[in-house]
Amino acid sequence: MTRRFLMVPFLLALAAAPHAAAQAPTPQAAPAKVPFSRLKADFIEAYWRQNPESAVGAGYYKYADRLPIPDAVERRRSFSFASQWLRAFKEVDERALEVPERIDLRLIRGQLEAEHWYANTFKSHQWDPSNYNVAGTFGLLLGTEYAPLETRLRTVAKRLPKVAPYYAAAKANLKGPTLEHTQLAILQNKGALGVFGEGFLKQVDGSQLSAAEKARIKEDAGRAKAAVQDYITHLEGLETKLKASGARSFRIGKDLFEQSFFHSIQADCTAEELYRRALAEKEKLHARMAETARQLWPKYFGAEPMPADRLDLIGRMVEKLSQNHVTAEGFVAEVKRQIPLLESWVREHGLVELDPSKPLVVRETPEYMRGVAGASISAPGPYDPKANTYYNVTPLEGTAAQKESYLREYNEYILQVLNIHEAVPGHYVQLLHANKSPSLVKAIFGNGAMVEGWAVYSERMMLESGYGGNTPEMWLMYSKWNLRVVCNAILDYSVHVQGMTEEQAMKLLVREAFQQDTEAREKWHRAQVTSVQLSSYFAGYAAIYDLREQLKTRQGAAFDLKRFHEQFLGYGSAPVKFIRELMLSKP
Ligand code: ZN
Ligand code: ZN
């Protein structure tokens, strides 16, 4: 899954401090006298007023007509907002709260502390030009039917004149950006131009707006588009300079990595501990995969001698099985075909509840969202649970060789695992449950590692239930996919902390994780422009798997898999360590 609003709340918050907004509301009375539920509700309202773009991402449109200008004044305002609320929540007596409330409190504190840290220490508003992109919110306002088209267009009309000052502030913020983030920003903002393109003009023409309104909005959209183009041109100039004279390194280093890991993963372990566990897991997977490959060899290679080297042996077998794949043209259709099959399996095997009233809509990824990953879920936020959940699948692009490489990566076996991960019973199903959670705080400030961890856990759980026929082929290819999650964590730490080179990264991904060239290069790119996020999958997966095994041991014959899943998901997207505390506190 890529960037739903849950995944980057603090970064959005930084880029989204309101401009010329009413004075940021402060906690009213002495918090000790205000019930926690009231304090929470006040905070969330104030938070949305402070961060209208995040609010739109969450499906809350009250402040949607404001486009915050990310300048220094607003950053200070945002910072003092976080300070004031942090003080208020620190005064709440945690011991007086029920456990679920206690988790809400910790999530809020964690969020505010993270915002402080990202603003004061991480400072990506200075070195990451891809922090600035207006397309996401405009895209949501134009593409989500939360109100009549005319209302939405009028909201858009109020935001359009702010686009130019927004990008002017963005340009002023940039101090020594990295080359890689500059290039990412160029790519993504080029995609942003499409938001004000023909589709938008058609929407305006087809609306009931007056002729004067239509003319005005088109004119303002033209200026907004020019501002985006100006930012792109500015960045392209910067890119040339950075290439010539050197740029800030994209590697964030050990200190920032550990701290960012602490704030965003909220795991029980340090980043270094997780890295070591991932190394051990890689070794275990290699051993098991070699065993399976040995078993399969005669079936696929007859009397041909087996390679002596373990990685060669696995690699040959994986390569052979990868030849089994759909065509480039049939890729999106095949994804569509598989979703109902996965749903039937989950239902028939009693693995977890589904909700047929909220079906998943498979679509081609909108332009402005492209650039990082190949498939992602766009889920309805907690405020508009009736909105569509989209499964964005990016149609294959590029040369015939690039397409073939991609198709081999997402072969017959792996494509099924991908659909489990993104859709059923992975992200889509987890989000259905999260939105049912009565805790708005958990739905809004959810933990990315838990979200990714669930999706990764669900892959293994499906195979354990017999999905895919329990064949050695399916298990081998699943293991290859799981190895990818393990190597994501290794790559992330190695790149940012240990200075791993592109050549070393390619060796890890291609030789030791059996990835195709295209996939490996994309991953190397992602490792450069993100940090810690690639570790979240393995961190969450390991924690969920451990919790399940612990409960199995404890409950013995009374352990019920579906009940475990329902309970686990019922807490919403909280850090696994908090859910663990809740589940283990049950008699
Ligand atoms: Zn995911
Ligand atoms: Zn082929």
Side-chain angles (χ1 to χ4, degrees):
M1 180 162 59
T2 52
R3 319 303 88 222
R4 293 170 309 101
F5 72 94
L6 278 178
M7 303 303 293
V8 282
F10 25 80
L11 295 181
L12 278 176
L14 287 180
H19 181 65
Q23 194 60 32
T26 49
Q28 293 297 311
K33 291 175 193 133
V34 181
F36 180 61
S37 57
R38 171 70 195 284
L39 191 65
K40 254 194 326 191
D42 288 351
F43 166 69
I44 291 170
E45 183 65 23
Y47 189 84
W48 292 147
R49 184 144 73 163
Q50 183 72 15
N51 302 287
E53 302 234 283
S54 304
V56 170
Y60 193 70
Y61 301 98
K62 189 169 164 186
Y63 307 110
D65 58 351
R66 298 218 309 254
L67 172 58
I69 308 301
D71 60 14
V73 174
E74 300 308 326
R75 263 197 307 283
R76 273 196 296 278
R77 182 171 291 173
S78 179
F79 186 80
S80 69
F81 171 88
S83 304
Q84 282 162 353
W85 281 99
L86 201 49
R87 266 197 302 280
F89 283 110
K90 276 188 174 157
E91 283 172 37
V92 175
D93 181 9
E94 191 179 300
R95 291 158 307 173
L97 300 176
E98 295 295 322
V99 180
E101 296 265 272
R102 210 180 293 167
I103 287 180
D104 281 359
L105 176 63
R106 289 189 198 171
L107 277 176
I108 293 171
R109 281 183 191 159
Q111 173 73 22
L112 293 171
E113 275 159 4
E115 288 191 12
H116 262 184
W117 184 80
Y118 279 94
N120 272 353
T121 310
F122 200 61
K123 294 187 175 173
S124 67
H125 62 274
Q126 295 180 349
W127 52 262
D128 180 0
S130 76
N131 267 4
Y132 310 106
N133 191 331
V134 297
T137 308
F138 277 110
L140 284 171
L141 294 173
L142 293 167
T144 314
E145 293 182 5
Y146 68 92
L149 177 61
E150 289 69 26
T151 309
R152 292 186 280 128
L153 286 174
R154 286 184 184 119
T155 299
V156 164
K158 285 190 189 152
R159 306 177 92 253
L160 283 173
K162 295 287 164 65
V163 172
Y166 173 97
Y167 280 108
K171 287 199 280 188
N173 286 344
L174 296 180
K175 288 179 186 72
T178 80
L179 176 61
E180 293 74 13
H181 292 95
T182 302
Q183 290 168 333
L184 178 66
I186 291 169
L187 182 75
Q188 290 184 335
N189 275 283
K190 279 181 178 167
L193 292 171
V195 170
F196 307 114
E198 243 162 74
F200 170 73
L201 298 178
K202 258 194 197 157
Q203 261 184 318
V204 172
D205 284 333
S207 74
Q208 307 290 315
L209 295 185
S210 70
E213 279 180 305
K214 283 180 187 175
R216 177 77 186 272
I217 196 171
K218 283 186 190 172
E219 197 180 307
D220 285 346
R223 285 203 197 97
K225 208 171 161 180
V228 178
Q229 185 54 60
D230 174 69
Y231 187 56
I232 295 168
T233 307
H234 177 75
L235 293 179
E236 283 169 344
L238 215 48
E239 183 190 15
T240 310
K241 262 190 243 160
L242 295 172
K243 272 182 176 164
S245 59
R248 178 194 171 106
S249 171
F250 60 84
R251 304 177 201 277
I252 67 172
K254 184 166 172 66
D255 287 350
L256 288 184
F257 194 90
E258 280 289 358
Q259 290 170 48
S260 179
F261 184 87
F262 172 82
H263 284 297
S264 66
I265 306 281
Q266 297 180 271
D268 278 323
C269 60
T270 65
E272 190 179 351
E273 283 162 0
L274 188 81
Y275 165 69
R276 302 212 173 283
R277 179 164 178 180
L279 286 179
E281 193 69 26
K282 181 179 70 160
E283 174 50 35
K284 258 196 264 176
L285 280 165
H286 280 164
R288 232 180 288 145
M289 290 170 83
E291 188 52 44
T292 311
R294 246 173 246 127
Q295 185 194 336
L296 284 171
W297 186 267
K299 180 173 167 186
Y300 290 91
F301 293 97
E304 189 187 325
M306 259 185 245
D309 180 273
R310 182 172 78 160
L311 294 177
D312 288 340
L313 169 67
I314 302 168
R316 285 287 302 279
M317 188 53 70
V318 164
E319 192 196 353
K320 188 85 180 172
L321 296 176
S322 299
Q323 289 168 13
N324 199 353
H325 62 74
V326 296
T327 62
E329 299 72 34
F331 186 75
V332 178
E334 176 60 16
V335 170
K336 277 187 187 160
R337 190 187 71 86
Q338 284 183 16
I339 304 304
L341 301 178
L342 288 167
E343 288 173 332
S344 311
W345 180 275
V346 165
R347 222 175 276 121
E348 282 159 19
H349 292 77
L351 299 176
V352 62
E353 282 302 318
L354 300 175
D355 185 351
S357 73
K358 289 165 188 147
L360 184 63
V361 183
V362 185
R363 69 173 178 189
E364 293 190 0
T365 311
E367 288 286 342
Y368 69 85
M369 293 174 70
R370 295 185 192 181
V372 178
S376 67
I377 290 286
S378 294
Y383 293 103
D384 57 347
K386 286 188 193 121
N388 283 334
T389 302
Y390 292 104
Y391 186 9
N392 307 307
V393 186
T394 308
L396 306 198
E397 285 155 359
T399 66
Q402 284 168 335
K403 286 182 190 168
E404 175 67 16
S405 171
Y406 191 85
L407 289 167
R408 287 189 179 203
E409 187 75 24
Y410 291 95
N411 53 66
E412 157 87 15
Y413 311 94
I414 302 272
L415 187 55
Q416 296 180 66
V417 185
L418 175 73
N419 291 328
I420 292 172
H421 176 105
E422 295 292 338
V424 182
H427 289 315
Y428 159 63
V429 172
Q430 190 268 321
L431 287 157
L432 284 179
H433 283 76
N435 283 344
K436 279 199 293 193
S437 163
S439 163
L440 205 49
V441 170
K442 290 188 197 73
I444 296 165
F445 301 111
N447 177 264
M450 180 275 179
V451 171
E452 287 303 342
W454 168 262
V456 174
Y457 162 78
S458 76
E459 300 159 7
R460 176 158 179 173
M461 183 270 286
M462 283 291 274
L463 259 74
E464 287 173 341
S465 79
Y467 181 83
N470 226 346
T471 61
E473 285 90 344
M474 192 68 185
W475 275 106
L476 180 72
M477 296 305 268
Y478 158 76
S479 298
K480 189 208 128 169
W481 175 266
N482 189 239
L483 191 57
R484 181 156 94 155
V485 163
V486 171
C487 287
N488 277 347
I490 296 172
L491 177 73
D492 195 18
Y493 192 85
S494 305
V495 164
H496 286 286
V497 179
Q498 298 173 323
M500 179 182 254
T501 63
E502 178 170 8
E503 196 190 342
Q504 291 166 332
M506 290 302 284
K507 181 172 171 271
L508 171 74
L509 300 175
V510 175
R511 166 92 178 141
E512 296 193 73
F514 315 103
Q515 293 179 13
Q516 298 289 322
D517 195 69
T518 307
E519 185 74 11
R521 296 224 179 264
E522 278 173 9
K523 191 54 60 68
W524 163 249
H525 175 243
R526 187 164 159 196
Q528 291 175 289
V529 296
T530 69
S531 49
V532 174
Q533 197 239 332
L534 278 171
S535 300
S536 63
Y537 303 76
F538 184 61
Y541 163 69
I544 296 169
Y545 195 80
D546 288 353
L547 172 61
R548 186 187 79 178
E549 295 307 297
Q550 196 179 349
L551 283 167
K552 257 189 190 170
T553 306
R554 197 162 114 172
Q555 298 173 357
F559 179 82
D560 182 84
L561 189 63
K562 187 176 183 184
R563 199 179 58 213
F564 167 72
H565 294 152
E566 293 295 319
Q567 283 180 0
F568 180 83
L569 294 176
Y571 293 115
S573 313
V576 181
K577 71 173 171 186
F578 296 168
I579 299 179
R580 187 166 178 276
E581 184 182 317
L582 281 172
M583 292 188 77
L584 294 179
S585 73
K586 290 211 169 197

